[in-house]
Amino acid sequence: MSVPGIYHDGMTTRVTRVVISRVDDSLQWRGADVAGEAALSSVMPSARVIGVPFTLLLPDGAQLQIAHDDMPPDWFARSHRIEKAVDRLERMRSIAWVSVVVTVLALIALFEYVLPWTADRIAYHLPHRLEVAMGQQSLAVLRGRVFLTTTLPAERRQHLQALFDQFAHGIPDLPPVNIVFYSAPMVGANAFALPDGTVVFTDDLVKALPDDRSFLAVAAHELGHQAHHHILREVLRSSGAVVVFGMLTGDVTSLGGMTAAIPAFLLGNHYSRDFEADADSFAFQTLAAHGIDPAAFVDAMRALEKVHPELAADKQVRYLSSHPVTAQRIAKAEAASMAFRQRHAVAR
Ligand SMILES: [Zn+2]
């Protein structure tokens, strides 16, 4: 039996058409100006892949190529059990579909789990000076545009500042934090946690909160975002694969894109429901640890509902907003308050 093929001498780029045949246990080829023979056992065939020509490596380094469909099945039948299995799989349509489905699932897993997981690892391990740079740049973008000079009296600010510092001081595993106040009519009663540890309170928020404890309740929630690096995690996740892989490979230029995304993120307030719930839990725990009834959080929410009536409804609005909806957050705060009061009643 003979099949057409191509002969490369392995040294030059010259290609010669040949006829290849098997005679007993040897392979023979013959073309215009080449001819040769090799023991079948001394020839190394390439893997059997549909549509790809076979390459037969000859003992002297030369090669023969045979089109995939021309290869007689018995020439190298016994040489590769795995290849035969692969070839069989490739011929089965159902297996092809399964592999498509597996690939799609793998991509979904990549975007749903692997990238967020990677983004989280990066957010927790980013050098602090980069977080500082991102925070400062974000603030620089917002200052003068969205964040205007505060109109709160100096002594009010100093009082809240001292409260905040004292509260944050004893919290374990908290990155360095500080609080600043801005007048921000565009965003109303709102608070923000920047990547460098800055917590921004708007004048409207300070005015809306009824007392020091409700101020600390909102501060504790923002500190929860700080403690868990929520803004970096959220922005990294939404920046997608390019930034994540860029940072994995040490391409710091991808940080630029991220920094640009932060002010937009802050103003849009798209923390995931999970992150808001995490920050709430953090707030309840730290309030209780400071001897403050988490009911202070309920007071804060109710006060904010008054200045932002739309918060009460499940709408896409800012800050103490729809994720999770205010009613659910209040219910959780009340449960935390109940537990707090029970513990204190027992202790008394
Ligand atoms: Zn939040």
Side-chain angles (χ1 to χ4, degrees), residues 112-321:
E112 280 291 307
Y113 304 107
V114 179
L115 279 178
W117 186 87
T118 312
D120 287 358
R121 296 281 114 24
I122 291 173
Y124 274 101
H125 293 103
L126 210 60
H128 185 60
R129 61 185 170 78
L130 288 178
E131 289 183 296
V132 169
M134 282 186 222
Q136 296 299 311
Q137 283 174 38
S138 307
L139 210 49
V141 169
L142 294 168
R143 214 185 285 127
R145 296 183 178 85
V146 180
F147 294 164
L148 312 175
T149 307
T150 178
T151 58
L152 295 174
E155 57 271 29
R156 177 96 179 107
R157 276 184 281 130
Q158 280 155 14
H159 170 72
L160 296 177
Q161 177 109 43
L163 270 181
F164 178 89
D165 290 344
Q166 197 193 9
F167 186 82
H169 185 69
I171 300 175
D173 300 327
L174 190 67
V177 291
N178 67 299
I179 188 167
V180 288
F181 301 94
Y182 286 105
S183 163
M186 271 173 69
V187 294
N190 217 327
F192 306 93
L194 270 58
D196 61 337
T198 299
V199 173
V200 175
F201 267 63
T202 67
D203 291 359
D204 286 347
L205 176 59
V206 171
K207 286 174 194 159
L209 295 171
D211 52 25
D212 287 353
R213 288 148 51 98
S214 57
F215 162 78
L216 285 178
V218 175
H221 173 93
E222 293 305 317
L223 290 175
H225 285 315
Q226 294 290 14
H228 299 142
H229 298 264
H230 282 162
I231 185 152
L232 281 184
R233 287 163 69 186
E234 213 48 277
V235 172
L236 272 169
R237 286 176 180 200
S238 57
S239 304
V242 178
V243 168
V244 170
F245 286 121
M247 297 186 75
L248 275 182
T249 55
D251 174 11
V252 184
T253 54
S254 53
L255 281 176
M258 236 185 94
T259 305
I262 289 171
F265 173 82
L266 283 172
L267 298 180
N269 264 310
H270 297 305
Y271 278 123
S272 71
R273 192 179 265 254
D274 286 351
F275 281 180
E276 290 300 353
D278 279 358
D280 282 357
S281 304
F282 182 93
F284 306 154
Q285 278 167 24
T286 46
L287 286 170
H290 283 79
I292 300 171
D293 188 334
F297 191 83
V298 180
D299 298 341
M301 300 289 282
R302 297 229 188 276
L304 284 162
E305 272 182 357
K306 265 186 209 148
V307 288
H308 285 302
E310 75 275 16
L311 293 179
D314 186 9
K315 282 186 197 155
Q316 189 68 26
V317 282
R318 58 182 58 107
Y319 194 49
L320 297 171
S321 73

Side-chain angles (χ1 to χ4, degrees), residues 72-87:
D74 59 331
W75 281 15
F76 296 99
R78 284 184 307 158
S79 60
H80 278 285
R81 275 219 315 268
I82 293 170
E83 282 172 17
K84 278 164 70 182
V86 169
D87 188 47

Side-chain angles (χ1 to χ4, degrees), residues 22 43 171:
R22 178 179 167 179
V43 176
I171 300 175

